[in-house]
Amino acid sequence: MSNLPEPAPVVRLPDGTYTYADHLPAPIQPAPGPQVIHQHIHHAPPDRTVQRIALGSGIGAGTVAAGVYFGPLLVGALTAIAANLALLAFLAAVLVWGVHTVVKSVGGPDGQQAAKAIGKARRGRKGK
């Protein structure tokens, strides 16, 4: 006889093909004991109060979406308006100071006496 090992028995698979029995995958065996599953649940950060109130009162997702979109837009617009008004107030103060300085320097002694008279009249009214 020969020194070769005996081949494993041939097995027919369900799809109709043949293979050696030693090439079959090992059967899956269940793990002993209960299986522990580690599950990490991540919560979303809390929603804004206005949006919670809107959803709670049944207003709807469209209103909430509009609030999410137009809320920051409104804040930006109001900030831009406030910045424009602050710039205009600064320009008005500079212009008034400039006009006051020019009138005082160009007016001569008559202008200075008129300014003093107006100042005295104002102080006189405050005392009464």
Side-chain angles (χ1 to χ4, degrees), residues 6 11 15 21 34 37 41 46 56 64 66 76 78 83 89 92-93 96 102 111 113 124 126:
E6 278 192 36
V11 179
D15 63 353
I37 299 174
I41 300 172
V64 174
L78 291 177
V96 166
V102 169
Q113 285 180 356
K126 289 181 184 176

Side-chain angles (χ1 to χ4, degrees), residues 13-33:
L13 298 175
D15 63 353
T17 59
Y18 294 93
T19 186
Y20 290 105
D22 61 349
H23 289 148
L24 292 175
I28 299 174
Q29 297 181 0

Side-chain angles (χ1 to χ4, degrees), residues 4 6 15 26 33 42 51 56 59 75 91 125:
L4 296 176
E6 278 192 36
D15 63 353
H42 298 277
Q51 294 156 7
I59 290 176
V75 170
L91 286 176
R125 287 184 192 164

Side-chain angles (χ1 to χ4, degrees), residues 50-109:
V50 173
Q51 294 156 7
R52 280 194 307 241
I53 292 171
L55 286 175
S57 62
I59 290 176
T63 305
V64 174
V68 169
Y69 180 77
F70 289 112
L73 200 63
L74 179 64
V75 170
L78 291 177
T79 304
I81 291 169
N84 287 338
L85 289 176
L87 181 64
L88 289 175
F90 176 73
L91 286 176
V94 168
L95 288 175
V96 166
W97 174 79
V99 168
H100 170 74
T101 304
V102 169
V103 168
K104 190 174 178 183
S105 65
V106 172

